[in-house]
Amino acid sequence: MEQVNHGARDHVYPQAAHALYRTLSQAVISAATPIAAVLVALSFGAALLWLNGFTGTDVVTVMIMGSFQDARSIGEILLKATPLILIGAGLCVAFRCSIWNIGAEGQLYVGAIAATFVGTSIDGLSVWIHAPLVMLAGALAGAAWAGIAGYLKVRFQASEIVTTIMLNYIALILTSYLVTGPMRDASAAYPQSARLVREAWTPRIVSDMRLHIGILVAIVLAVALYIFLQRSSRGFALRVVGLNPDAARYAGMDVRRNVMIAICISGAMAGLAGAFEVAGVTHRLYQNISPGYGFEGIAVALLANNNPLAAILSGGLFAMLRSGSEVLQITSQVPQVLVLVIQGIVILSVVAFAKFRGVLTSLR
């Protein structure tokens, strides 16, 4: 009996050690690849600045350190992180279900349109009713807009990549039409909507800063989506559909329904981001209300490895880079074109290292 027990222990210990090794190695890979991606991107950015006659060290001393020079600067980073976290966390859900929603930008714009309509056409409500109503309108509009692409996929097998990209253009054109036509503020010199009533504004965290409670909502929703994916039966079904739709169908799961749920959740998060931009930042609808948050959210989700919880950190990273790029442009007089190129290098580096991380993980 003692020999049998020794044999069992000798068999169990190597398995436990191997499992621990796999867990630690995956943790190291997950932590190291984003850092490596940013370092490589910043190195290329420094070389690009140096070749164009600027100081390469400005990438770190100005672009990074300048973003944390005071509380207001940190508040601006968190303000920019809000839509990125919302969109990134929502796209994590879609991507885990193998739904490539490239239409978050359009869903953001549609959410902003709905939020503007509710915020300008209704008056006399309490801020505790009107502000949440604006957020709800934005989320529902984003979900409905994404649902168009979802329906085309499950009904006609249309590629969601193509349909969501085309819906982006429709949403942007629709926004331009509305702010130059039916929703235009007649007293304004530039195309824009009327200002939202004060009760529809998103409450600010600090009165003399632009940072609003949207950052708290974004973090809570990202955590909720992580729990939904990892701890709920519906989240498990979404992940199974993403891994193998045929196996999910054989197990009795409704593949079409899960596809619609996944893409609508991601659309709702993007629409909510648009509502926060209108109600918390601009208080009006403009033609170009988004600087590209919808497309940048894709990189946020990829850097997070489709983990909504990690999207909080990756969204904060991209917000820091975006804020730092603005500081770099103002402080060092770097042309906007070079700043955009540096941002593009960062995104490409992040996507490449995310793919490299997936290869490494599969080899463990």
Side-chain angles (χ1 to χ4, degrees), residues 71-280:
R72 187 174 297 275
S73 299
I74 297 175
E76 288 298 310
I77 293 176
L78 295 176
L79 184 69
K80 292 177 174 62
T82 300
L84 292 176
I85 294 172
L86 287 169
I87 295 172
L91 289 178
C92 286
V93 175
F95 293 167
R96 289 295 291 270
C97 195
S98 291
I99 303 300
W100 295 100
N101 180 11
I102 315 298
E105 184 79 354
Q107 293 146 22
L108 181 151
Y109 271 86
V110 171
I113 292 172
T116 302
F117 178 79
V118 173
T120 56
S121 61
I122 303 176
D123 198 3
L125 297 178
S126 165
V127 65
W128 301 107
I129 298 177
H130 207 166
L133 192 61
V134 167
M135 299 302 107
L136 179 62
L140 291 177
W145 198 253
I148 297 174
Y151 175 78
L152 293 175
K153 180 176 179 63
V154 301
R155 180 67 177 84
F156 303 104
Q157 298 302 310
S159 171
E160 72 276 13
I161 297 176
V162 176
T163 53
T164 51
I165 289 177
M166 297 307 297
L167 286 169
N168 281 339
Y169 290 107
I170 296 174
L172 267 65
I173 294 171
L174 177 62
T175 303
S176 298
Y177 164 72
L178 290 175
V179 297
T180 57
M183 296 181 68
R184 178 169 184 172
D185 184 0
S187 62
Y190 301 99
Q192 62 186 31
S193 72
R195 184 183 293 271
L196 275 66
V197 298
R198 188 64 181 83
E199 291 76 15
W201 293 12
T202 304
R204 294 182 176 180
I205 295 177
V206 182
S207 59
D208 60 344
M209 294 173 59
R210 297 201 303 166
L211 181 63
H212 52 75
I213 63 171
I215 183 62
L216 303 179
V217 175
I219 293 173
V220 169
L221 288 179
V223 174
L225 287 180
Y226 172 79
I227 297 173
F228 167 75
L229 279 177
Q230 300 297 329
R231 297 287 182 260
S232 70
S233 58
R234 178 61 62 187
F236 173 75
L238 293 182
R239 291 187 284 120
V240 172
V241 170
L243 292 172
N244 193 324
D246 293 330
R249 193 176 292 107
Y250 182 78
M253 299 177 183
D254 191 335
V255 174
R256 293 185 175 185
R257 181 181 181 184
N258 284 292
V259 166
M260 288 296 298
I261 291 174
I263 197 169
C264 286
I265 287 175
S266 63
M269 294 290 281
L272 183 60
F276 274 126
E277 284 300 294
V278 168

Side-chain angles (χ1 to χ4, degrees), residues 284-306:
R284 295 176 184 268
L285 180 64
Y286 295 95
Q287 281 181 298
N288 299 311
I289 194 170
S290 168
Y293 287 137
F295 299 111
E296 204 164 333
I298 298 174
V300 170
L302 291 176
L303 179 60
N305 197 26
N306 297 334

